[in-house]
Structures are given as structure tokens and as C-alpha cells.
Amino acid sequence: MKKVMEVTERIKTLDEFAKHVDYSLLNTLTPDPQSTSDGSDHDPRQVFSGHYVPVTPTPLTAPTYIAHSETLFAELGLDNELAATEAFTRLFSGDMSDVPASMQPFGWATGYALSIYGTEYTEQCPFRTGNGYGDGRAISIVEAVLNGKRWEMQLKGAGRTPYCRGADGRAVLRSSVREFLVQEHMHALGIPTSRSLSLFMSESDTVDRPWYREGSHSYEPEVMVENITAISTRVAPSFLRVGQIELFARRARCNEHSEALNELKAIVKHLIEREYSSEIDTNTPFEEQLVTLAELFRNRLTRLVSGWVRVGYCQGNFNSDNCAAGGFTLDYGPFGFCEFFEADYQPWTGGGRHFSFLNQPIAAQKNFDMFCRSLMPLLEGKSEHLSKLNDINDGFSGVMEQAMESMWAEKLGLTHYDHDLLIKLLQLMLRTGVDYSMFFRELSSVPKNMASLTKSFYYPPKEDAMKEWEAWLQTWRERIEKDAEAQGDKANAIAATAKNMRKANPKFTWREWLIVPAYKAAEKGDFSQIHALQKTLTAPYDEQSEEIENKYYQLRPLEFFSAGGVAHYSCSS
């Protein structure tokens, strides 16, 4: 990949932006031989080979700017003025017809395999071959080096691709607002994630989706609802997924075409270059690079998922195609944040227990196993390296357990993990009905009694349970004080513990019942609530104003506990 100049001054025009474009994926990997050269490829079809399909986005009609991420703009070296330009609006609402000459006038979509909890499926695609799975409404349009870092920019909801499987390729405003807000929230929480660049809606384009009636408590959607369409732009170092590597591995194992093994090798080499080049020496033998890649990805994935649990995040649908091979959070569809604590919390009606909140470490292990199995065709005849890869795979559960234990110790302010203390706490939280994030934030003040902690209880515990709470708190305080005494200055050590706990336990987190009014207001042209949420959710660990606290730091109202589209929702976005 060629090096592109770093940004020295803030970029204010699309022409200036175009100087930093560098298409490593298009220049390195292979297009589908049956694809068109101009990206006019919007009907569902099988894609048998190649790493990508050139596709032109379908622009929104009369696009309206809603928001952009000032934080990400600053990181990329973009001036906020750029978001207000006509050229920026055209491009990031899907119109590539008038981009600067140095930019390609089309984007690209990629295929992937479907693997659910460690089992690969092919017959669910329209062709019953697995050759129809891929980016059905996500189209990458830019790859650029900005401020010395490579980024890929992808439109979500930009129309049909060959992988659309008969759908319309659009995203509704509801899901677009959610993804736009949550990506920057997760970044502010310190969780590796794709990022949000911009959000546009159409003034006239609509699509029908199944959803809930107003005030419904149905589990599944009941009616077809007309929805405004939108395009959000998500940004990441790459959008390479475990499912992509899995697709090319399947083709190599089955020898589906003469270039299958070479295509697998090429995309894995590209993954290393895009996501691991600072950690893997590409001058070493390729089989050694593969072993190192597996170990590095294991470390990233275990840290990622333990981070999810730390902040109460549930992916909802952690298939291999939703598992970024770079080890960050990707594809915010049926996600949610645990409020009322349940070990098997699952916001998505189609998700099941296997993708529930505290089962995410096991789901991650299933994806990692598919990743390792996908590297195996490249190690055929290399028994020593294959053995190392298997050992790394077998060691996932141990590394995951260590990451989880370290995370729980951090949340509880302990220098060492205490299994019995944690298990007793989780049991009490389940019995009592506790708000997950509020409880740990209140605990971060290192209270001497239960007075502040009961703020996080949805209903008062019975007398016997309250005694158990008080006993647990006393035991925990003794551990905190013992750790503090070991550091010398007890008072300052406890204060430092409280400070560190507040860094691990956010105060302001995602609460769906506060997001719903924001996207409903946006449907009527009022974006003020989205902007207010942007501000609050990108400072999740800070103490904010009393007004903000009274609005956002609250228990979920009882009327929302079983509300369709709030407590649970389908993936109709």
C-alpha cells in the first residue's frame, strides 16, 4: 500500500479530502469476474468468486443533514465546515456521480459466510449455496489515510447490491439514529468499535417494515409501518469479518474454483496488512504470521467481549459475519444495554440465549473457532504450525476467563479477582432487581452502608435479602480496606480506588426508552434530542449537570418493561 500524506490542516472541501484517498482493498484484492466495471450491479445474484463486487450506491432523494461526529472529524483532520458542504452531502447520502477525479465513482460490497454459534449455514440464502450472503445494504465508498491512519468509510442503507437477497437495501431512520449514536457512545466508553461519521435522512423516500403499534407490549411486531429512510456512514480501519475469511476457507476446502486457495491467502494477507501490520512482521514466513495473527486476534476478541460485559452491552446477534476480524465491535443491529440485570438479557426477539448478555464469551469462542478453522487450509502440510494454531484455539476459554476476571476485579475496585465475592453479588443482584450500570456506579463511591446503593434497586428487597446485602457490602469494604492498607496511605488509597472504579463504571449509558423519543422527533424534523444525546453519551464517565442527571441517570419506568420496540425489538431496520 502506498503511503498518503498526513493531514496538516483541517480538510474543508471534498477536493482536499480526495487527496488522501488510497484504495488498498481495490488495488490489492480481486473483483468478482462477473461484476460490471462501473458498479451497475444491483440485482440479487450468486457471487462465486472474487473478494468484492463494484457497486454504486442509490442516493437518497432530497437528503437532509441530521448530524456528524465532531469527535471523529477532529481525529480524521476534517473541519466541521466540511459537513455543511453540498459535495459532502451528496457523497455521504449516496450520490457518487460527481466525485473528484482522483476518487472512484463507485463503491464496493463484499460477500461472507453465515455462521451462527459455530455452525455454518448455506441453505438459508436464496440460492441454497451460501453464495448469496454478503453486504446487502452496506457499501464501502472510500478508503483513505487521514492523520497517518487508514480508514474505510461505508454507507449503511445505500440501496441494493448483488447480496441484497431480494430486499430493498435501505435502512430506516430508527436504526440509523441508533447506530449513529451508539458507535460514538461505545468509543467514549473505551470499547473498540466502528465509528460514526455522518447521518442523513430523506425528505421523501420511505420503506415499509414490520414494527410495533404505539404502546404495544407484543413480543413480535404486529403491523407494517411506513418508515423514513436514512443513510449513516460508519468508519473503521477495515470491515473485514470472520465470516469473510470463513467464506474463502470454505471455497478452498471444497476446491470450488481454481483460485479458491489463492483468494483465501490474499484476503488473510490483506487482513494482516490492514489490521495487524504494527504487530506482525510480514517478512517472516507466512505460516508464522498466521499463528501470530490467531494469537493477536484472540487477545483482542477476549478484551473486547469482557469490555462489553463491563459496560452492560449485549450484541444480540454475534454471528461470525458480525465479528470484525480486527477485534472491534461491528454492526449495531439488534444490540441493547442491560438495565434491569438479567444474566440472559437479550434485546433481540430472534437472538435466543446463545447470544444473551453473560453468554457472550462463549459466543465469542464459537466465532474464534471458526476463524482458526478458516486459517487451516493455509497450513496444510505444516504440522508444527497447525499444532500451534490448535493450541491457541484450545486456549481461548482460559484467556477469556482471565479477561473476565480482570474486568470484574476492575469493576469492583479489587487488586485481585474474588470469585466468591462476585458470585454472591450477582446472585443478590438477580434476586433483588438491580439496575446494572447504576448499581456499579453507586458502588464506585465506596459506600459504608446501603443507603446509596438502594437507588439502583427497582423495588425494595425483603428483610432477609437486605441483611445479605449488608453482609456482602461489609465483606467487600473489608477487601477494599485491606487492599488500601497494603498501599500504605489508607485514606488516599480508598479515594484512588473510588476514582478508578468511576473510570470503569460509566454513569450515563444507553437507555432505549430515552432513544425512542429522539428518533421519533427526528421523523418530524426535530433533531435536537439526537444532538443532546450525542453530547451526553460521549461523556459517559463524567458527572454532568443536575438537569442531565435527572433525565438520563434514572431507572427504567415500569411502563417500558415489556414495551415492544423498547424492552425488545425485532431486527426490522
Side-chain angles (χ1 to χ4, degrees):
M1 298 183 213
K2 69 177 182 180
K3 291 186 177 180
V4 180
M5 70 185 83
E6 294 186 17
V7 178
T8 55
E9 295 182 2
R10 291 291 180 90
I11 294 171
K12 296 182 179 181
T13 68
L14 192 64
D15 286 327
E16 293 173 8
F17 175 86
K19 296 175 183 178
H20 302 271
V21 167
D22 178 37
Y23 300 97
S24 75
L25 185 144
L26 300 184
N27 294 335
T28 304
L29 299 182
T30 307
D32 166 34
Q34 297 180 329
S35 62
T36 65
S37 59
D38 63 358
S40 180
D41 202 343
H42 303 103
D43 294 325
R45 65 178 177 85
Q46 294 196 72
V47 179
F48 297 99
S49 65
H51 297 105
Y52 66 91
V53 179
V55 174
T56 53
T58 304
L60 293 177
T61 302
T64 296
Y65 165 88
I66 296 178
H68 72 280
S69 169
E70 293 187 8
T71 302
L72 182 58
F73 263 50
E75 289 182 34
L76 300 181
L78 308 181
D79 194 290
N80 287 318
E81 291 181 13
L82 177 63
T85 64
E86 182 182 350
F88 184 91
T89 295
R90 280 200 309 269
L91 177 58
F92 291 101
S93 64
D95 185 354
M96 300 189 73
S97 63
D98 192 30
V99 295
S102 58
M103 294 178 64
Q104 295 283 8
F106 55 81
W108 61 96
T110 59
Y112 47 70
L114 173 65
S115 177
I116 303 175
Y117 208 64
T119 300
E120 188 174 351
Y121 296 86
T122 57
E123 293 191 354
Q124 281 73 10
C125 95
F127 314 105
R128 297 185 176 275
T129 61
N131 292 319
Y133 292 127
D135 296 325
R137 58 176 179 167
I139 301 174
S140 293
I141 59 167
V142 172
E143 192 185 323
V145 178
L146 298 162
N147 274 343
K149 187 174 180 180
R150 183 173 296 275
W151 297 93
E152 185 172 332
M153 298 181 178
Q154 188 175 80
L155 305 183
K156 185 81 172 283
R160 284 152 54 100
T161 78
Y163 301 106
C164 65
R165 289 182 273 164
D168 54 38
R170 287 303 192 191
V172 303
L173 181 61
R174 174 185 64 250
S175 65
S176 302
V177 168
R178 293 178 79 243
E179 181 158 318
F180 176 81
L181 288 173
V182 76
Q183 287 177 136
E184 293 304 281
H185 178 47
M186 288 285 273
H187 175 69
L189 287 168
I191 307 299
T193 178
S194 53
R195 303 289 301 280
S196 294
L197 185 76
S198 60
L199 177 61
F200 290 89
M201 62 177 268
S202 171
E203 292 183 3
S204 56
D205 297 338
T206 62
V207 293
D208 291 340
R209 294 286 192 272
W211 199 243
Y212 301 86
R213 291 189 175 95
E214 192 71 28
S216 171
H217 289 265
S218 171
Y219 190 67
E220 296 288 353
E222 311 131 293
V223 292
M224 293 297 291
V225 176
E226 186 179 40
N227 294 266
I228 295 171
T229 60
I231 290 178
S232 59
T233 299
R234 58 187 183 187
V235 181
S238 81
F239 288 97
L240 297 166
R241 308 158 180 225
V242 171
Q244 280 178 272
I245 311 302
E246 190 182 336
L247 170 65
F248 292 99
R250 184 188 75 208
R251 289 174 174 169
R253 284 195 304 269
C254 300
N255 196 25
E256 290 187 10
H257 58 84
S258 60
E259 290 298 307
L261 187 62
N262 288 334
E263 287 188 348
L264 172 62
K265 184 175 183 179
I267 197 167
V268 173
K269 290 180 71 173
H270 190 67
L271 168 63
I272 292 171
E273 183 66 33
R274 289 285 290 275
E275 298 283 4
Y276 296 91
S277 59
S278 64
E279 299 168 278
I280 295 178
D281 182 358
T282 54
N283 293 315
T284 59
F286 186 56
E287 53 269 21
E288 292 182 15
Q289 295 181 45
L290 295 179
V291 172
T292 304
L293 170 65
E295 187 169 17
L296 290 171
F297 179 47
R298 183 181 70 178
N299 292 341
R300 291 190 190 185
L301 187 57
T302 51
R303 286 196 301 268
L304 174 68
V305 174
S306 65
W308 286 356
V309 176
R310 177 176 65 83
V311 300
Y313 174 81
C314 182
Q315 177 80 345
N317 184 25
F318 200 26
N319 296 340
S320 64
D321 61 285
N322 293 333
C323 184
F328 54 87
T329 320
L330 177 67
D331 203 27
Y332 292 90
F335 75 90
F337 279 72
C338 183
E339 294 180 69
F340 183 90
F341 176 60
E342 298 171 287
D344 59 354
Y345 165 69
Q346 165 60 278
W348 183 35
T349 56
R353 291 177 63 93
H354 52 287
F355 291 142
S356 61
F357 181 44
L358 289 187
N359 208 52
Q360 293 181 113
I362 301 176
Q365 183 174 358
K366 300 292 186 180
N367 286 336
F368 186 71
D369 178 61
M370 299 305 289
F371 181 77
C372 290
R373 286 164 57 183
S374 297
L375 299 182
M376 288 178 182
L378 298 173
L379 292 175
E380 189 171 345
K382 306 288 185 178
S383 57
E384 179 184 351
H385 295 92
L386 190 59
S387 178
K388 289 180 179 178
L389 178 64
N390 285 326
D391 287 345
I392 291 169
N393 193 8
D394 292 343
F396 185 92
S397 60
V399 176
M400 185 77 251
E401 184 178 8
Q402 291 173 9
M404 290 294 289
E405 290 179 355
S406 177
M407 179 274 296
W408 286 121
E410 183 182 16
K411 279 185 79 66
L412 288 168
L414 305 177
T415 55
H416 297 91
Y417 172 71
D418 187 319
H419 179 76
D420 292 341
L421 192 67
L422 173 67
I423 295 302
K424 181 61 178 178
L425 171 62
L426 296 179
Q427 289 172 344
L428 283 170
M429 291 173 70
L430 288 168
R431 283 175 57 192
T432 304
V434 169
D435 188 279
Y436 183 78
S437 294
M438 285 184 68
F439 172 81
F440 280 105
R441 183 66 179 198
E442 293 300 319
L443 191 68
S444 298
S445 65
V446 193
K448 295 181 179 179
N449 55 59
M450 291 294 297
S452 63
L453 295 180
T454 55
K455 181 178 182 178
S456 67
F457 292 0
Y458 279 89
Y459 45 83
K462 294 181 179 179
E463 184 178 350
D464 59 340
M466 196 62 175
K467 289 180 179 178
E468 291 185 54
W469 269 113
E470 290 168 348
W472 180 88
L473 183 63
Q474 180 63 28
T475 302
W476 173 75
R477 279 279 312 194
E478 290 172 357
R479 277 293 311 273
I480 294 293
E481 291 172 357
K482 183 179 179 181
D483 290 345
E485 287 172 355
Q487 297 178 49
D489 189 338
K490 181 177 176 181
N492 285 338
I494 291 178
T497 295
K499 183 178 180 180
N500 289 333
M501 287 182 68
R502 286 192 292 272
K503 292 178 180 178
N505 296 304
K507 181 157 189 174
F508 298 100
T509 61
W510 187 274
R511 296 183 181 274
E512 195 71 32
W513 51 278
L514 291 171
I515 308 300
V516 173
Y519 64 66
K520 286 187 175 180
E523 292 172 357
K524 300 176 182 178
D526 178 5
F527 309 136
S528 61
Q529 293 186 54
I530 292 176
H531 299 154
L533 283 165
Q534 270 187 283
K535 186 175 180 180
T536 300
L537 293 176
T538 52
Y541 297 100
D542 296 349
E543 294 293 336
Q544 300 190 40
S545 70
E546 183 178 357
E547 180 184 1
I548 294 295
E549 180 159 342
N550 289 337
K551 183 174 183 179
Y552 295 105
Y553 190 60
Q554 299 294 328
L555 298 174
R556 177 192 290 179
L558 292 178
E559 63 263 31
F560 295 127
F561 261 73
S562 59
V566 180
H568 52 263
Y569 23 84
S570 75
C571 193
S572 53
S573 57

